[in-house]
Amino acid sequence: MVAPHRVLIVDDDDDLREVLRDLLTHEGYETRDVALGAHAIESLAREPYDAVLLDMHLPDTPGQAVLRALRSLDPHIPVIVLTGYPTEDNTVGSLLEGAFAYLMKPHKPDEVRETLRRALDIRALEEKTEMVRNALTASEIRFRSLVDSAPDAILVCSEAGVIVSCNASAQQLFQYDEDELLGRPWSLLIPSHAQEAYQASLSRAMTLTERPAQDQAIELEGVKKDGTRFPLEVSLATWLTSGGRYISSIIRDITERKRAEQVICESQDRFRQLAEHIR
């Protein structure tokens, strides 16, 4: 069962508080009413409310000061201002201070119901938006953690070839710090004689119609910060977003594999030479 919305009524007029209390209780709201601004501030500091109906003319504290205090305690709470004096401070001024709306006395029940409903609907939407934003942030953090812990080097470049993201393995492999790679061209990591092959594979990946599109792995030579060259294998993937096309490169150092292949080739050569000598 969904709990009823809780509304705080702040007005020094006993009769008006009773009218509002009866109206909102009949609509299914849970209410609390106080006559002083200080009591309203204390009440919100002590327990949560979903909305506040605030009279701007209270005997102990100016309405604007109460409004600011309530918004300070809960920046997202909708405060609906009640006033019988349509001065600029009570109307436009209250909106500038963060009030959701202002209603003129005497209250019209339908106007109170509709304004409160809109205020609560907007608050619920803001809370859902915040939840989605937090979920996306958490998802991004998990994804970033996963990428950073990957044993393979991972680079993401813009379509123009500028590095926009790199994981820890990429920094370790090429011996650069993150701030030395971000914003730099991918060609920094590939010797000039190998760039044509890389660019050709990149162009093929970007012309594929699938999104995300993935190209086959290619072998080429990389270069570290200290100038050391080494063989590597690159798997490319490209995807299109509203901000443009991006290319991810999963990079593996295949020095050991190449060394093993060389040993096998040398063994096969010796075996052939031995076989030919025996014949």
Side-chain angles (χ1 to χ4, degrees), residues 3-23:
H5 289 296
R6 305 184 73 244
V7 180
L8 177 63
I9 302 168
V10 188
D11 199 308
D12 64 324
D13 187 315
D14 295 340
D15 292 335
L16 286 178
R17 286 204 316 278
E18 183 178 358
V19 169
L20 287 171
R21 184 173 62 245
D22 291 344
L23 171 65

Side-chain angles (χ1 to χ4, degrees), residues 55-274:
D55 179 24
M56 292 301 284
H57 290 272
L58 298 171
D60 65 327
T61 312
Q64 293 281 0
V66 178
L67 173 59
R68 285 192 293 271
L70 295 177
R71 296 279 298 171
S72 176
L73 289 169
D74 183 352
H76 302 291
I77 194 167
V79 179
I80 299 170
V81 164
L82 311 174
T83 181
Y85 305 92
T87 65
E88 185 174 346
D89 280 345
N90 292 342
T91 55
V92 176
S94 66
L95 298 180
L96 292 176
E97 290 288 351
F100 176 80
Y102 65 86
L103 298 178
M104 298 300 300
K105 296 180 179 181
H107 313 117
K108 297 178 181 178
D110 288 344
E111 190 176 36
V112 173
R113 279 192 291 261
E114 178 61 21
T115 304
L116 185 55
R117 183 192 63 77
R118 284 192 295 109
L120 293 172
D121 285 348
I122 290 175
R123 173 160 185 164
L125 181 59
E126 289 175 346
E127 289 175 347
K128 289 180 180 178
T129 301
E130 186 65 21
M131 288 175 60
V132 171
R133 185 183 297 112
N134 291 338
L136 289 174
T137 300
S139 178
E140 182 179 344
I141 291 172
R142 289 194 297 270
F143 176 76
R144 180 68 184 181
S145 176
L146 178 63
V147 170
D148 276 340
S149 64
D152 293 327
I154 300 176
L155 293 174
V156 178
C157 299
S158 67
E159 190 170 0
V162 176
I163 299 171
V164 297
S165 178
C166 60
N167 70 347
S169 293
Q171 298 166 47
Q172 182 179 5
L173 177 61
F174 291 102
Q175 300 176 341
Y176 285 94
D177 292 333
E178 184 178 32
D179 58 359
E180 294 178 301
L181 289 174
L182 298 183
R184 302 291 298 280
W186 59 260
S187 55
L188 173 72
L189 307 175
I190 301 174
S192 55
H193 71 84
Q195 291 181 15
E196 185 176 349
Y198 180 78
Q199 185 61 52
S201 183
L202 193 60
S203 298
R204 284 197 305 274
M206 287 194 294
T207 56
L208 296 176
T209 57
E210 301 166 6
R211 296 186 178 90
Q214 187 165 354
D215 197 9
Q216 293 183 343
I218 59 171
E219 293 184 6
L220 43 81
E221 194 174 44
V223 60
K224 302 188 180 197
K225 183 178 179 178
D226 63 5
T228 302
R229 297 187 180 187
F230 65 102
L232 51 81
E233 180 183 80
V234 182
S235 297
L236 296 172
T238 176
W239 69 94
L240 189 64
T241 72
S242 59
R245 189 179 292 275
Y246 291 87
I247 307 98
S248 66
S249 303
I250 300 177
I251 305 168
R252 300 177 183 89
D253 182 348
I254 57 173
T255 300
E256 293 302 323
R257 190 173 83 189
K258 287 296 185 181
R259 186 175 294 123
E261 291 175 354
Q262 181 64 30
V263 170
I264 292 172
C265 287
E266 291 174 355
S267 297
Q268 290 174 340
D269 287 341
R270 287 196 298 270
F271 179 78
R272 275 196 303 269
Q273 292 171 8
L274 179 60

